[in-house]
Amino acid sequence: MRVLLTGSAGFIGSHLTERLLSDGHTVIGVDNYISGQPANTQLFLDHPRFSFIEADVSTNMPVVQEPLDWVLHFASPASPPHYQQHQIETLMVGAQGTQNALELASRHGAKFMLASTSEVYGDPKVHPQPESYWGHVNPNGLRSCYDEAKRYAEAITFAYHRSRGVDTRVIRIFNTYGPRMRADDGRVVTNLVNQALRGEALTVYGDGSQTRSFQYVTDLIEGIIRLMGVDFHEPVNLGNPDEYTILQFAEVIREAINPQLPVVFEPLPQDDPMQRKPDISRARELLGWAPSKSLHEGLGLTVAAFRQPQTAAPLDHTAGTTLASSTD
Amino acid sequence: MRVLLTGSAGFIGSHLTERLLSDGHTVIGVDNYISGQPANTQLFLDHPRFSFIEADVSTNMPVVQEPLDWVLHFASPASPPHYQQHQIETLMVGAQGTQNALELASRHGAKFMLASTSEVYGDPKVHPQPESYWGHVNPNGLRSCYDEAKRYAEAITFAYHRSRGVDTRVIRIFNTYGPRMRADDGRVVTNLVNQALRGEALTVYGDGSQTRSFQYVTDLIEGIIRLMGVDFHEPVNLGNPDEYTILQFAEVIREAINPQLPVVFEPLPQDDPMQRKPDISRARELLGWAPSKSLHEGLGLTVAAFRQPQTAAPLDHTAGTTLASSTD
């Protein structure tokens, strides 16, 4: 089938492109490189079933002549330093970008998937978070340009489903890590791995007792592919319920790279969520899906990738599995 | 000063236009009549300081050549039957409409006010609701096209304030009633008054124990005018903390119009908030403001207006007070 993927040059977009191509599909990637990386487009440019359009989907969604089976809307700055730097663009890609993608899907009679986020739960008062939880989000705090944009994106996706009959899917992606994360994305995984690889002290914000669930990227991609195969419109959490405190995580990384490195503590940023853990009952029942990569295994693959220049990563077009899992 | 007011033909927009004109200001009204009423424009068309542009601010914000001191963004369907009928337009006027109004303010160096809503609190778990409460909103329920649009509107207003330096105000308007409400707006006040005036049974949804605070429109307008006079960027609740159950309200109306009328009960709509009451400490301290009209007084003025055709309402351009309060 033919798939248009916005945000194709992002971390997750690049892995989703790889998997779709390897499953035999045709991918039209779209990205404006606000936070996506040209190297992630370069990876696929020689592939006969991949094409790329550089465009801002908030203001200039490409007109596509060919039939489309799916529009997958994954475009958005997603890490705090990127969306803080691009507050208005982040808000726009949640609103105008999502609407343009829904209109494209509607015109083509294509199915539509929104990449939403665990950030719609904000600083949750329910733990773990099922999809039925309405969340606890500051509507005008420093994170609101991302959180509220994604909540709006869900609302307009449901509005197009209800009032225009678009066949929609909504995933809520929890913290995901793996090869091709941007080294400067400011996320805890990349920060700690980068610091450890440089032989620096590992920085932990707050006292490190806040928890995160860490999902390896190929687990997420598997959940996405499975959800494309079922007829289901409510949001679906995709994340790893294995929970680590930030401090535990720093220690796993330290042990993996250099046990001699010290840990230093800095103040928590405003509205930083204190804990986040998915309830994945819905994905288990609906898709028979659960994450399979352990943190230690995923971390090994990630550290290996971070030791090499990203553009040098080989791409096996013939394998049925993804790049990352083919290096197990 | 010169003010551009989006949603000028709406219920609140018409009262705000009247007050601004009566205070000596120049008003450029903008409305696309999705839920506003041409009669509310007709009221002011002969006024030398009023002009009107029929336009959809989500897609065609007017270009204004004259200097502007304020952009007041009040455009949006606001009653459940209207925003349910226009889900996508409601989402758009919260996103693109707010952004276009912010851009207009930014280009003119004008101040900006967003008409937000108590709906950002959703079905609140904190009672009464202070501005610091983050709310409890279903991001993809039937009301989300309105609630999430307004939360997004707040987020983008703060983003323009933080990243572009626009001088912004955000008000959260609680239930407001008075003359010029649309007879078909489906709100509890108009429904009950209309039923009573037609001699029909009064319909109460649920068991009638859910509460609402009812603010008379001129009280709201006074709060808006006062907030325009201070330098304050955080949201400000404007509502009447006097709390009535829906059933009490039906009884007040029944007694005022016809004590013989029966009350009938029907099921609650999905996600209907069970209680809503403003904490107005901030407006009291910041603006010296509190509502002054009692429910009985405001109701009398509203019933009197509903007994007459709206276009026949007289307009006193010379009075310093509003139409409604001049009929005390």
Side-chain angles (χ1 to χ4, degrees):
Chain A
M1 59 193 183
R2 188 178 287 108
V3 177
L4 184 136
L5 171 62
T6 77
S8 62
F11 160 52
I12 292 171
S14 76
H15 286 274
L16 187 50
T17 298
E18 180 172 2
R19 171 66 184 263
L20 289 166
L21 292 173
S22 116
D23 285 356
H25 305 303
T26 298
V27 177
I28 303 169
V30 184
D31 209 296
N32 66 348
Y33 297 132
I34 259 195
S35 59
Q37 303 180 99
N40 287 337
T41 302
Q42 292 295 327
L43 281 174
F44 309 108
L45 271 186
D46 291 339
H47 196 289
R49 279 181 279 103
F50 180 77
S51 60
F52 180 78
I53 303 167
E54 185 173 341
D56 180 345
V57 298
S58 302
T59 54
N60 289 297
M61 175 63 80
V63 176
V64 177
Q65 302 301 335
E66 307 100 302
L68 289 176
D69 300 288
W70 277 93
V71 174
L72 309 177
H73 183 44
F74 280 64
S76 179
S79 72
H82 292 155
Y83 63 66
Q84 292 296 344
Q85 189 188 345
H86 300 288
Q87 293 178 43
I88 291 165
E89 293 85 350
T90 302
L91 283 154
M92 289 180 74
V93 80
Q96 287 95 318
T98 304
Q99 184 170 17
N100 289 341
L102 283 159
E103 286 285 340
L104 181 68
S106 181
R107 280 196 302 276
H108 282 262
K111 295 173 183 172
F112 173 86
M113 181 180 285
L114 171 69
S116 184
T117 167
S118 61
E119 291 283 332
V120 301
Y121 301 122
D123 190 2
K125 300 294 190 194
V126 170
H127 196 66
Q129 295 85 49
E131 291 86 351
S132 57
Y133 178 53
W134 290 359
H136 182 228
V137 169
N138 182 344
N140 46 52
L142 288 177
R143 302 174 80 97
S144 64
C145 62
Y146 184 64
D147 301 359
E148 292 296 344
K150 287 292 192 182
R151 292 175 64 97
Y152 179 100
E154 288 198 12
I156 198 167
T157 298
F158 274 77
Y160 270 78
H161 177 63
R162 291 188 180 117
S163 70
R164 305 269 175 100
V166 179
D167 189 354
T168 56
R169 306 286 183 282
V170 174
I171 55 169
R172 291 179 177 161
I173 303 174
F174 284 67
N175 274 346
T176 305
Y177 72 101
R180 303 188 206 139
M181 295 187 79
R182 274 182 63 153
D184 65 347
D185 71 1
R187 290 166 182 280
V188 63
V189 179
T190 27
N191 281 354
L192 294 172
V193 171
N194 276 325
Q195 288 181 318
L197 288 175
R198 287 195 301 262
E200 298 172 0
L202 303 184
T203 306
V204 167
Y205 295 92
D207 63 0
S209 68
Q210 70 273 37
T211 61
R212 292 288 187 281
S213 63
F214 295 100
Q215 165 180 241
Y216 190 68
V217 63
T218 54
D219 283 332
L220 168 66
I221 301 299
E222 180 63 29
I224 292 169
I225 298 296
R226 291 193 188 191
L227 185 60
M228 290 171 73
V230 299
D231 185 23
F232 188 81
H233 309 293
E234 296 295 313
V236 177
N237 288 340
L238 293 176
N240 192 330
D242 289 349
E243 200 171 15
Y244 292 79
T245 66
I246 298 289
L247 196 54
Q248 285 176 313
F249 195 75
E251 282 165 4
V252 170
I253 291 181
R254 188 167 60 159
E255 284 163 26
I257 298 179
N258 179 354
Q260 309 302 320
L261 296 172
V263 171
V264 297
F265 295 86
E266 294 202 3
L268 269 184
Q270 187 191 329
D271 293 349
D272 190 61
M274 290 308 288
Q275 48 181 18
R276 199 79 69 58
K277 176 184 174 179
D279 178 332
I280 60 167
S281 309
R282 181 172 280 176
R284 279 187 200 277
E285 288 158 26
L286 181 71
L287 311 174
W289 175 89
S292 64
K293 278 274 190 300
S294 72
L295 183 65
H296 284 82
E297 193 183 359
L299 193 57
L301 294 167
T302 305
V303 168
F306 269 69
R307 290 189 193 270
Q308 300 190 350
Q310 293 197 6
T311 50
L315 188 71
D316 181 2
H317 293 312
T318 61
T321 54
T322 63
L323 172 63
S325 53
S326 71
T327 62
D328 280 2
Chain B
M1 59 193 182
R2 187 179 288 109
V3 176
L4 185 136
L5 171 62
T6 77
S8 63
F11 160 52
I12 292 169
S14 76
H15 286 275
L16 187 50
T17 298
E18 181 173 0
R19 171 67 184 264
L20 290 166
L21 292 174
S22 116
D23 285 357
H25 305 303
T26 297
V27 177
I28 303 169
V30 184
D31 210 294
N32 66 347
Y33 297 132
I34 259 197
S35 60
Q37 303 179 100
N40 286 338
T41 302
Q42 292 296 326
L43 282 174
F44 309 107
L45 270 187
D46 291 339
H47 195 291
R49 278 181 280 101
F50 180 76
S51 59
F52 181 77
I53 301 166
E54 186 173 339
D56 181 346
V57 298
S58 301
T59 54
N60 288 297
M61 176 62 80
V63 176
V64 178
Q65 302 302 334
E66 307 99 302
L68 289 175
D69 300 290
W70 277 93
V71 175
L72 308 177
H73 183 44
F74 280 64
S76 179
S79 72
H82 292 155
Y83 64 65
Q84 292 297 344
Q85 188 188 344
H86 301 288
Q87 293 176 45
I88 292 165
E89 293 85 349
T90 302
L91 284 154
M92 289 180 74
V93 80
Q96 289 94 320
T98 303
Q99 186 171 16
N100 289 339
L102 284 159
E103 286 284 342
L104 181 68
S106 180
R107 281 197 301 275
H108 282 262
K111 294 173 183 171
F112 173 87
M113 181 181 285
L114 170 69
S116 184
T117 169
S118 61
E119 292 283 333
V120 301
Y121 301 121
D123 189 1
K125 300 292 190 195
V126 169
H127 195 68
Q129 295 84 48
E131 290 86 351
S132 57
Y133 178 53
W134 289 359
H136 181 228
V137 168
N138 182 342
N140 46 52
L142 289 177
R143 302 175 80 99
S144 65
C145 61
Y146 184 63
D147 302 0
E148 292 297 344
K150 287 292 192 182
R151 290 175 65 97
Y152 179 100
E154 288 199 12
I156 197 168
T157 298
F158 274 78
Y160 270 79
H161 176 64
R162 291 188 180 116
S163 71
R164 305 268 177 101
V166 178
D167 188 354
T168 56
R169 307 285 183 282
V170 174
I171 55 169
R172 292 179 176 160
I173 302 174
F174 284 68
N175 274 347
T176 305
Y177 72 101
R180 304 186 206 141
M181 293 187 82
R182 275 182 62 153
D184 65 347
D185 71 0
R187 288 165 182 280
V188 62
V189 179
T190 27
N191 282 354
L192 294 172
V193 170
N194 277 324
Q195 288 181 315
L197 287 175
R198 288 196 302 262
E200 298 172 358
L202 303 184
T203 307
V204 166
Y205 294 92
D207 63 2
S209 67
Q210 69 272 38
T211 60
R212 292 289 187 281
S213 61
F214 295 101
Q215 165 181 241
Y216 190 68
V217 63
T218 55
D219 284 333
L220 168 65
I221 301 299
E222 180 63 29
I224 292 168
I225 298 295
R226 290 192 190 191
L227 185 59
M228 291 170 72
V230 299
D231 185 23
F232 188 80
H233 308 293
E234 296 295 314
V236 177
N237 286 340
L238 293 175
N240 192 328
D242 290 348
E243 200 171 13
Y244 293 80
T245 68
I246 298 290
L247 195 55
Q248 286 176 312
F249 196 74
E251 283 166 2
V252 171
I253 290 181
R254 186 165 65 157
E255 284 162 26
I257 297 178
N258 180 352
Q260 308 301 321
L261 296 172
V263 172
V264 297
F265 295 86
E266 294 201 3
L268 270 184
Q270 186 191 331
D271 293 348
D272 189 62
M274 291 308 288
Q275 50 180 17
R276 201 77 70 59
K277 177 184 173 178
D279 178 333
I280 60 167
S281 310
R282 182 173 280 177
R284 281 187 199 277
E285 287 160 24
L286 182 71
L287 312 173
W289 174 89
S292 64
K293 279 274 188 301
S294 71
L295 183 64
H296 285 82
E297 193 184 359
L299 194 56
L301 294 166
T302 305
V303 169
F306 269 69
R307 290 189 193 271
Q308 301 188 349
Q310 293 198 8
T311 50
L315 188 71
D316 182 0
H317 292 313
T318 60
T321 55
T322 64
L323 172 63
S325 52
S326 71
T327 62
D328 280 3

